[in-house]
Amino acid sequence: MPDESPHELQDLTQRLAFAERLLAGIAQANDSLLNVTDYRKSIQSALSILGKSTRVDRVYLFRCHEDQATQQLLASQKWEWVAEGIAPEIDNPELQSFPLEALFPRWSAELPQGKHIAGLIRDFPASEQEILETQNILSMVVVPIAVRTTFWGFMGFDDCHQGHVWSSSEVDALKTVANSFGGAFARREAETQLQQVNDSLEARIQQRTAELEASAALANSANRAKSDFLANMSHELRTPLNGILGYAQILQRSEELKSQEKAHASVIEQCGQHLLTLINDILDLSKIESQKMSLYPSELDFSSFMQAIIEMFSIQANQKGIIFRYNLSSLLPTGIWIDKKRLMQVLFNLISNAIKFTDRGEVEVRVTGQPSIGKTDQASRQQYYLQFEVHDTGPGISPKDLRQIFTPFEQVGNIEKRSKGTGLGLAISQKIVEMMGGELNVNSVLGQGSCFSFAICCPEVKLESRSALEPSTRKVLAYQGETKSILVVDDRWENRAVLTNMLAPLGFQMFEAESGEQGLEKATATKPDLIITDLVMPIMDGYEFIRLLRQHKSTHQTKIFASSASVFQSDQQKSLDAGGDCFISKPVHLRELLQALQSNLNLEWIYEKKVLRQAQAVDRGALEIHLSSSPPLETLRDLQKLALSGLIKAFRNELDRLDQTSTKYQRFTQKYRTLAASFQLKSIQSSLEQAIAEYLPEVSETEYL
């Protein structure tokens, strides 16, 4: 191989020295960009570092934006560093809001696509040379800057003395530092956006407070007035919902109602839950503004959680006439440690939005997961990386609207569909995802659809082995042992009625009181095993009532549950500090209430088990005829496994196979095909459980656990 010439060696040495300076400068610039205390100073410092390390004559940043009237891409110089002896251009009015396409059409076309402009000016198009040579530029490189995948502007390096020819590796290095600037701008935009949320919310709350308060002099401060308003609104809206949702649960447990009527009660419950979600959206944004929102993680059966979501939204999509698909990775963990309520809130918002704005086509939910190798939490639990995606074939979102969809109270898209929400869901979801350590992203093509996605890391938890008939999912009939008495104290008769009608059928002796004073009298007279009290009552509130109970010798050890529509964690903690043993939120969920009763009163539930009893007078001949028209036991078990896993498509395929096997199964398959069409997984599981039980040896009708 021939020896390199002295000129080539010198050029190589210069290149290596330049590369070394460039890398060192990029590292220092990145450190400067991480300085969040002075945003503008950190940007200017980074430009200075890059200019000196590359030994160019000018380094600058241009911000690009779309003109609302002409739809042209306009560019404005925002930052600049110049070497000694070089005239600055930062104050040049011609470099502010000029049409990029008119002066530099090549730049306007290539930079937004992630391409760069580099080379000697003499090799540039004549129109560009004419403009650039007036600034005595010999060579330059211009690289794009993106903020969260959106084109923000560009960064340029001018050489007015040597005419440096930039290599591809040097340009790549400059693109890397441009990404760092994009990250700094993204952080700045997020800070600005959050400040705008705070300012907007504060203005709206103050306006609403002024309307509700007859005199501002009666309020000690704006924050106190806002807290009072939110507490009252929470109680007044959630209290009637307690009656709606409570009686919906009671009706679904009734043995006298037909299955269709129970399904109607289920619809009432779902609508009530949706209304409750809208109310919580307004309250949650206020918590975010006041930095009172916190995450409360707990053990979550992730498989059952996703199955419930799929079942709920499959019905909604089916009613609207669009396809609902779901793709759950086989690598997903069975149990995770996370705030179930907040994760449900984010998914509910994203999926319901997708269904709401999609009139034709489909909505698809994809969930993938993989363990984060080598990552564990403080409890040495394996960290799992979970990716959630919600795709739809709706109208899509324009680039203009994409910039405001996460702004509170802002709604984009079809005017008719905007009125179906508060305009807060995405802003709240974005904040919740950030609190979970992730970032909510959106990609959308106008006229084709949108995709909202986020990724989070959470610990995996090992759940205890659960049978197909998990006790907590079965209907509670009663409890073992002597009768327990419960006193319900609430100034609202509907709240007392809900608890009484929930618990009396289970064997509890129920007493009622409509005030704290009456509650004290009945507590000392009846000596109940448990007292459930509201917190917001006239004259004597629940806190004072609990304190007096704890001071009285006949009730100082009685179990006390506080039940309230308040959503503030401080109110819940205040009830426990006053002497309460447990807090039950309104609207009351029966399963939550039963769990609290079981742990505090040491109860053993008696669960319903719908199978044959030996004592029953069963017509064995009729049973054999019935079984002859049912699939084999093994087939029933296979169907049960598919239903428990939520694999509706495979479940339907198995029904089709049965129809091809024999015509005698048609009545059976038609029944389950109807249930599968509306994704009634719980009804399918319950019915299959009973069908399997008919094959099994005779056992007791109830089971004690």
Side-chain angles (χ1 to χ4, degrees):
M1 183 175 180
D3 294 337
E4 295 177 332
S5 65
H7 177 73
E8 291 174 334
L9 288 174
Q10 182 181 9
D11 182 65
L12 178 59
T13 301
Q14 292 175 349
R15 285 286 182 185
L16 291 174
F18 182 84
E20 184 176 347
R21 291 197 312 273
L22 178 58
L23 292 176
I26 290 175
Q28 294 179 37
N30 282 332
D31 290 340
S32 179
L33 291 175
L34 293 176
N35 176 18
V36 295
T37 57
D38 191 331
Y39 169 70
R40 300 192 65 84
K41 183 178 180 180
S42 65
I43 297 295
Q44 194 64 45
S45 174
L47 293 181
S48 174
I49 293 170
L50 292 171
K52 293 175 182 178
S53 62
T54 56
R55 296 183 181 175
V56 296
D57 298 295
R58 185 184 292 111
V59 184
Y60 45 84
L61 296 175
F62 274 78
R63 175 75 165 98
C64 295
H65 66 280
E66 188 179 84
D67 184 83
Q68 299 296 329
T70 64
Q71 305 299 311
Q72 287 184 313
L73 190 64
L74 306 181
S76 300
Q77 186 168 349
K78 296 298 182 183
W79 278 277
E80 179 188 50
W81 171 88
V82 294
E84 186 176 354
I86 300 297
E89 297 287 343
I90 190 66
D91 295 324
N92 186 347
E94 295 182 358
L95 297 182
Q96 301 299 318
S97 298
F98 67 88
L100 187 62
E101 183 177 4
L103 299 182
F104 299 97
R106 182 167 65 112
W107 297 24
S108 177
E110 296 184 2
L111 289 175
Q113 298 181 11
K115 299 179 181 179
H116 65 275
I117 307 295
L120 298 172
I121 300 304
R122 65 169 180 262
D123 297 329
F124 280 27
S127 60
E128 295 180 9
Q129 291 185 39
E130 183 178 351
I131 297 173
L132 299 173
E133 286 178 349
T134 60
Q135 301 177 25
N136 300 318
I137 303 173
L138 298 180
S139 70
M140 71 185 320
V141 60
V142 179
V143 293
I145 297 175
V147 174
R148 296 193 187 94
T149 71
T150 300
F151 179 63
W152 180 91
F154 56 86
M155 180 179 188
F157 298 78
D158 294 347
D159 190 338
C160 301
H161 289 93
Q162 300 178 5
H164 181 76
V165 179
W166 298 84
S167 68
S168 59
S169 61
E170 292 167 353
V171 172
D172 288 341
L174 295 181
K175 285 184 176 181
T176 299
V177 78
N179 290 336
S180 298
F181 276 90
F185 296 144
R187 291 192 298 273
R188 180 63 174 178
E189 287 184 3
E191 293 170 0
T192 302
Q193 188 179 47
L194 183 57
Q195 185 59 48
Q196 291 173 349
V197 170
N198 291 339
D199 294 343
S200 172
L201 178 62
E202 188 65 28
R204 291 173 186 268
I205 293 295
Q206 289 178 355
Q207 178 183 0
R208 183 59 177 160
T209 301
E211 294 172 355
L212 295 175
E213 294 292 340
S215 173
L218 299 177
N220 294 327
S221 65
N223 286 335
R224 180 60 185 172
K226 179 179 65 177
S227 298
D228 290 343
F229 163 66
L230 292 175
N232 292 333
M233 183 172 69
S234 169
H235 189 270
E236 293 304 316
L237 293 177
R238 292 165 69 95
T239 295
L241 274 179
N242 185 49
I244 295 172
L245 294 176
Y247 273 101
Q249 295 175 79
I250 292 169
L251 289 173
Q252 291 180 77
R253 289 174 54 84
S254 173
E255 296 294 340
E256 299 178 2
L257 294 184
K258 299 178 182 179
S259 59
Q260 184 177 9
E261 293 169 333
K262 290 184 178 181
H264 293 164
S266 177
V267 172
I268 294 174
E269 183 182 12
Q270 291 179 15
C271 293
Q273 289 290 355
H274 180 62
L275 179 58
L276 181 61
T277 300
L278 295 178
I279 295 170
N280 287 339
D281 277 351
I282 299 174
L283 301 174
D284 283 344
L285 193 65
S286 298
K287 288 184 180 181
I288 291 172
E289 189 273 340
S290 59
Q291 298 181 349
K292 291 182 178 179
M293 177 177 281
S294 300
L295 298 180
Y296 299 95
S298 61
E299 185 180 283
L300 172 63
D301 185 335
F302 191 55
S303 300
S304 299
F305 172 81
M306 290 306 305
Q307 179 181 327
I309 289 179
I310 289 166
E311 180 178 350
M312 176 172 58
F313 286 107
S314 295
I315 296 173
Q316 288 188 20
N318 184 61
Q319 292 173 343
K320 194 173 181 182
I322 61 177
I323 299 172
F324 184 81
R325 303 183 188 277
Y326 57 93
N327 189 337
L328 308 182
S329 169
S330 59
L331 297 178
L332 293 176
T334 302
I336 57 176
W337 185 260
I338 201 168
D339 189 322
K340 173 185 176 181
K341 174 185 175 182
R342 296 305 177 189
L343 179 59
M344 168 68 84
Q345 188 174 356
V346 173
L347 292 177
F348 183 94
N349 181 265
L350 298 183
I351 301 175
S352 61
N353 275 353
I355 293 176
K356 178 172 71 173
F357 287 101
T358 302
D359 293 324
R360 62 179 62 87
E362 64 182 50
V363 171
E364 181 179 10
V365 177
R366 302 176 190 169
V367 185
T368 57
Q370 60 182 7
S372 299
I373 305 300
K375 288 188 177 181
T376 58
D377 65 357
Q378 294 180 350
S380 299
R381 294 176 296 198
Q382 172 68 56
Q383 291 284 327
Y384 242 88
Y385 177 85
L386 298 177
Q387 173 82 23
F388 299 84
E389 299 177 9
V390 179
H391 300 259
D392 67 64
T393 57
I397 307 171
S398 69
K400 173 186 174 182
D401 289 337
L402 276 175
R403 291 191 287 268
Q404 64 181 17
I405 61 172
F406 293 114
T407 302
F409 302 104
E410 292 290 342
Q411 294 178 296
V412 301
N414 188 292
I415 298 273
E416 296 178 357
K417 295 177 181 177
R418 292 185 192 181
S419 61
K420 297 181 180 179
T422 59
L424 300 175
L426 286 177
I428 295 171
S429 297
Q430 182 186 49
K431 181 62 178 178
I432 292 173
V433 171
E434 289 176 355
M435 291 174 66
M436 291 180 172
E439 181 179 7
L440 182 57
N441 297 303
V442 56
N443 290 307
S444 186
V445 178
L446 196 61
Q448 297 183 23
S450 306
C451 172
F452 285 83
S453 63
F454 65 93
I456 55 176
C457 266
C458 56
E460 179 186 18
V461 294
K462 302 299 182 182
L463 302 177
E464 295 181 4
S465 178
R466 301 178 181 182
S467 64
L469 297 177
E470 182 182 1
S472 62
T473 65
R474 286 178 285 171
K475 181 178 178 180
V476 172
L477 297 178
Y479 54 89
Q480 294 189 67
E482 60 183 21
T483 300
K484 302 290 186 180
S485 59
I486 299 177
L487 170 62
V488 179
V489 183
D490 200 305
D491 61 313
R492 303 291 290 265
W493 69 267
E494 60 267 39
N495 290 338
R496 302 194 304 272
V498 165
L499 289 172
T500 297
N501 284 281
M502 278 183 173
L503 300 178
L506 303 182
F508 292 99
Q509 183 180 11
M510 303 300 296
F511 301 101
E512 295 184 16
E514 61 184 21
S515 67
E517 296 85 345
Q518 190 180 105
L520 290 174
E521 295 177 3
K522 287 200 173 184
T524 55
T526 61
K527 295 181 175 56
D529 297 287
L530 170 69
I531 299 174
I532 303 178
T533 179
D534 186 27
L535 293 179
V536 181
M537 296 185 293
I539 304 178
M540 180 188 295
D541 62 24
Y543 306 109
E544 180 64 19
F545 176 57
I546 294 174
R547 282 191 287 268
L548 291 176
L549 287 173
R550 288 295 177 231
Q551 294 172 10
H552 200 282
K553 62 180 181 179
S554 65
T555 57
H556 73 282
Q557 290 185 333
T558 304
K559 292 291 184 179
I560 303 174
F561 287 2
S563 181
S564 175
S566 173
V567 296
F568 293 108
Q569 186 68 23
S570 58
D571 291 340
Q572 299 177 17
Q573 186 60 47
K574 185 179 176 182
S575 69
L576 300 178
D577 294 340
D581 295 288
C582 181
F583 182 89
I584 302 295
S585 62
K586 294 177 182 175
V588 174
H589 293 278
L590 180 58
R591 181 175 298 182
E592 177 187 353
L593 177 59
L594 293 180
Q595 289 175 347
L597 290 171
Q598 183 180 36
S599 60
N600 283 274
L601 298 182
N602 298 318
L603 299 176
E604 293 186 36
W605 297 122
I606 301 173
Y607 293 94
E608 179 184 49
K609 189 169 181 65
K610 296 180 179 179
V611 295
L612 298 176
R613 277 192 313 178
Q614 190 168 5
Q616 287 179 321
V618 180
D619 185 341
R620 303 306 301 177
L623 178 60
E624 290 174 1
I625 294 174
H626 171 70
L627 293 179
S628 67
S629 62
S630 296
L633 177 59
E634 191 61 32
T635 301
L636 291 175
R637 284 174 169 163
D638 290 341
L639 287 169
Q640 186 185 45
K641 291 178 182 178
L642 294 174
L644 288 170
S645 302
L647 302 176
I648 292 296
K649 184 176 181 181
F651 185 86
R652 289 171 175 166
N653 291 339
E654 183 65 14
L655 295 179
D656 293 339
R657 187 192 67 77
L658 275 175
D659 280 337
Q660 296 171 3
T661 302
S662 174
T663 57
K664 68 180 181 180
Y665 300 138
Q666 288 183 351
R667 185 174 180 181
F668 174 90
T669 57
Q670 182 58 39
K671 169 186 175 181
Y672 286 97
R673 192 173 281 112
T674 301
L675 292 173
S678 57
F679 291 85
Q680 298 184 44
L681 292 178
K682 292 182 180 178
S683 297
I684 291 174
Q685 294 165 10
S686 176
S687 182
L688 285 173
E689 173 192 332
Q690 185 172 357
I692 291 172
E694 292 173 347
Y695 275 96
L696 301 178
E698 300 156 343
V699 296
S700 173
E701 185 180 22
T702 56
E703 182 175 339
Y704 298 85
L705 296 173

